Amino acid sequence: MPSRDLRFSVSRSGDVAVVALSTRQEVGVDIEAVLPLPEADEIAALCFSACEYGSYIALGPRDRLEGFLRRWTLLEAVSKALGCGLGQPLSWDERDWAVRRFVPKPGYIGTVVVRN
């Protein structure tokens, strides 16, 4: 396989690291430890789209942390695949990506994306 066709993404959180590899298609991965995040509402208001934020706020208090981390890992994975940071506006269509959520270890949430 020519090395120019290899795409990769790396994420680390706590004592867990993951690497995603792809040939030709852009790939991104992110993992996060499921830990209390008091500023999740403020981060969601700043970083989520209006629709994403509405869905997040509609979650009950017990489901909010996991809901936040699921969306956050998706946004991080896509931004890595696109080669931009979350501080930049993301223009992407979720239908253009294969999205897989995974649990790399109990107490962690992960998302990997590959461009269709």
Side-chain angles (χ1 to χ4, degrees):
M1 169 180 63
S3 62
R4 70 179 178 277
D5 292 338
L6 182 63
R7 306 288 193 264
F8 71 93
S9 182
V10 178
S11 183
R12 183 189 69 80
S13 179
D15 64 348
V16 177
V18 295
V19 177
L21 301 170
S22 176
T23 55
R24 295 194 176 96
Q25 292 88 1
E26 298 302 328
V27 63
V29 67
D30 189 54
I31 59 170
E32 297 291 338
V34 180
L35 298 171
L37 188 61
E39 61 275 4
D41 290 353
E42 291 81 19
I43 294 170
L46 290 171
C47 298
F48 291 5
S49 70
C51 182
E52 293 166 342
Y53 182 71
S55 296
Y56 165 73
I57 289 298
L59 294 172
R62 293 176 57 176
D63 297 324
R64 274 221 186 133
L65 178 59
E66 186 172 330
F68 173 84
L69 292 173
R70 285 186 181 279
R71 193 65 193 174
W72 183 261
T73 58
L74 174 61
L75 292 175
E76 283 272 8
V78 169
S79 71
K80 289 177 181 182
L82 293 173
C84 62
L86 281 177
Q88 301 170 353
L90 279 179
S91 177
W92 64 287
D93 187 335
E94 199 162 336
R95 295 173 295 189
D96 295 335
W97 297 87
V99 176
R100 298 291 181 264
R101 303 204 189 281
F102 64 97
V103 176
K105 178 179 176 180
Y108 288 81
I109 290 177
T111 302
V112 63
V113 298
V114 178
R115 189 182 294 241
N116 292 328

